[in-house]
Amino acid sequence: MGKAKEANGAVGAEHSIKQLKECISDFISESDLYSDDFYLLRWLRAGSMDVTRAAKLLRNAAKWRKSYELESLLEENFPQDWLETMPIYVDAMSVDGVVVATAEAGAIDFRQIVEEKGKETAVRLMAQAFAQSEKVILERNKINFQDQPLNEHSIQGATLIVDFNNFSARQIQSFRSIQATIDVCKILVNYFPDLGSKFICINCNSVSMVILKILRSIIEGPHFKFEIYGSDENEWKPSILPQIPANQLRRPFGGTRDDGETIKRDRLVNPNNFLSVK
C-alpha cells in the first residue's frame, strides 16, 4: 500500500511539473532554473502542489530575479573582507546528506552593516548569500534523489543552526536594522522556497526571543520548522549531534571542528564541500 501511494505521488508530481512548464512557457527560456524539475518542484510545494498557484508564485519570483539581476549576483564575489565580519558558514552536511549552515548571531553586528552600507545594500548582500546557497542545495538534492521518481518529498532544504550567545539588545534597537531583517525574511519566503527546512536556535535569551518572534511569524511554515533552546547544551546537543557529525560542526555548535585561523573567503559557499560527496 505504501509503495503504491509513493508511486502515485511520483506520477502526480511529474505530471504537475510538466503542467507547470507549460504554464511558464513564455519565460521558461530565460533561465535554466525554469526547466529544472527539482527547482519547479520547490514551487509546487510552495503552492501546496497546485499548479496554477505555483505558476503565479514562480512568475512573480522570475520578475524579481530579473529586476534584482540575481544571475549576476550569483557569480559575484562578496565585498573584500565582508565575510570575515559574518561568521556564517555553509560548509557542513548532515548524516542524511542535508546541507547545514551555521551562524554565530552574537558575533554579527547586522545593525552596523545596515548603518554603514545602507539597508538596500545589506539586504542585497543577503539575497546574494541566498542565491549562492540555493544553487548548491539544489544540486545536493539531485545527488540525494538521483535515479528516484520525483515526489512531493524529493526536496530537502538546508538546516540552519544559529548560536544566539552574546546576542545584543543593540540589534533590536534600530528601526532600520529591524526593517532590513524583515525585508530579508520576505525575500527568503517569497523567492527562495525550501531553501531551509529546519531552524535550530541555541543559547537563546529574552533579547534573542524578540527577533525570533519576528522571524518565526514570517518564515515558519509546513516545510520550515523552528527548534528553540536556551543555554543548557544538555538540551540542544542531543538534538543536533545525532543529525550532524561533530567533526562537521564548529565548537560553538557542539562540534569538534577547528579550522584554525580565520578563513579568507570571497564566496559564502564552496560547492566542492557538497557535490563531491555521494
Side-chain angles (χ1 to χ4, degrees), residues 243-260:
Q243 303 176 56
I244 307 154
N247 63 3
Q248 291 275 308
L249 293 170
R250 291 171 178 78
R251 298 186 187 282
F253 306 94
T256 59
R257 182 172 182 163
D258 185 1
D259 292 325

Side-chain angles (χ1 to χ4, degrees), residues 44 51 153 226 252:
L44 284 166
V51 174
H153 306 292
F226 277 62

Side-chain angles (χ1 to χ4, degrees), residues 7 19 26 33 35 58 80 92 95-96 103 114 147 175-176 184 190 212 243 273-274:
Q19 287 184 312
D26 56 314
L33 275 180
S35 57
L58 177 51
Q80 187 175 9
V95 293
D96 55 354
V114 172
D147 303 324
F175 176 77
R176 290 180 70 203
V184 168
N190 293 329
L212 280 173
Q243 303 176 56
N273 289 337
F274 305 103

Side-chain angles (χ1 to χ4, degrees), residues 1 12 45 48 50 55 75 153 197 214:
M1 186 73 172
R45 277 166 49 111
S48 301
D50 181 291
E75 301 304 326
H153 306 292
S197 60
I214 296 172

Side-chain angles (χ1 to χ4, degrees), residues 2-270:
K3 289 185 177 180
K5 184 176 180 181
E6 185 176 327
N8 290 335
V11 171
E14 291 173 354
H15 181 64
S16 295
I17 290 170
K18 183 179 179 181
Q19 287 184 312
L20 182 53
K21 288 179 180 178
E22 293 172 356
C23 288
I24 63 170
S25 60
D26 56 314
F27 67 89
I28 195 171
S29 62
E30 291 182 4
S31 171
D32 291 341
L33 275 180
Y34 305 144
S35 57
D36 186 304
D37 289 357
F38 279 87
Y39 183 73
L40 297 181
L41 181 58
R42 293 166 67 191
W43 286 103
L44 284 166
R45 277 166 49 111
S48 301
M49 300 306 288
D50 181 291
V51 174
T52 301
R53 185 180 175 191
K56 182 178 180 181
L57 293 172
L58 177 51
R59 188 174 295 277
N60 289 337
K63 290 179 180 177
W64 175 82
R65 292 180 77 100
K66 193 171 184 178
S67 66
Y68 222 69
E69 299 179 337
L70 201 68
E71 297 307 315
S72 62
L73 275 184
L74 182 60
E75 301 304 326
E76 282 184 18
N77 291 334
F78 284 91
Q80 187 175 9
D81 298 329
W82 186 69
L83 286 174
E84 277 64 62
T85 70
M86 298 284 284
I88 300 174
Y89 293 89
V90 185
D91 61 359
M93 194 158 59
S94 73
V95 293
D96 55 354
V98 172
V99 173
V100 177
T102 58
E104 294 178 58
I108 300 171
D109 194 341
F110 190 62
R111 174 176 175 173
Q112 183 176 341
I113 292 170
V114 172
E115 290 174 350
E116 288 184 351
K117 295 186 177 296
K119 184 169 76 72
E120 288 187 8
T121 299
V123 172
R124 189 175 181 83
L125 286 168
M126 294 306 298
Q128 182 177 350
F130 291 158
Q132 291 187 5
S133 301
E134 176 186 59
K135 185 174 182 179
V136 75
I137 291 169
L138 193 62
E139 293 303 317
R140 187 64 225 176
N141 273 267
K142 292 176 184 178
I143 293 173
N144 291 347
F145 295 100
Q146 62 183 330
D147 303 324
Q148 297 181 33
L150 290 183
N151 60 58
E152 185 178 351
H153 306 292
S154 300
I155 292 291
Q156 294 173 308
T159 293
L160 173 60
I161 311 175
V162 179
D163 177 15
F164 281 95
N165 187 39
N166 296 323
F167 184 76
S168 170
R170 180 176 179 276
Q171 301 301 321
I172 59 175
Q173 292 170 345
S174 163
F175 176 77
R176 290 180 70 203
S177 63
I178 291 292
Q179 188 59 55
T181 301
I182 292 172
D183 289 351
V184 168
C185 289
K186 288 181 177 178
I187 285 175
L188 177 64
V189 170
N190 293 329
Y191 308 127
F192 294 95
D194 281 318
L195 190 68
S197 60
K198 188 178 295 184
F199 194 174
I200 303 176
C201 309
I202 63 175
N203 296 319
C204 297
N205 56 25
S206 58
V207 176
S208 55
M209 289 303 294
V210 175
I211 196 70
L212 280 173
K213 185 175 182 180
I214 296 172
L215 297 178
R216 199 167 190 173
S217 67
I218 300 173
I219 64 178
E220 187 172 34
H223 305 300
F224 195 2
K225 296 298 184 182
F226 277 62
E227 292 182 19
I228 298 176
Y229 300 96
S231 58
D232 186 353
E233 64 178 29
N234 292 320
E235 293 183 359
W236 52 262
K237 269 190 176 181
S239 173
I240 293 174
L241 293 182
Q243 303 176 56
I244 307 154
N247 63 3
Q248 291 275 308
L249 293 170
R250 291 171 178 78
R251 298 186 187 282
F253 306 94
T256 59
R257 182 172 182 163
D258 185 1
D259 292 325
E261 296 181 4
T262 301
I263 302 171
K264 297 289 289 184
R265 300 178 291 162
D266 53 22
R267 294 179 69 82
L268 181 68
V269 187
N270 181 355

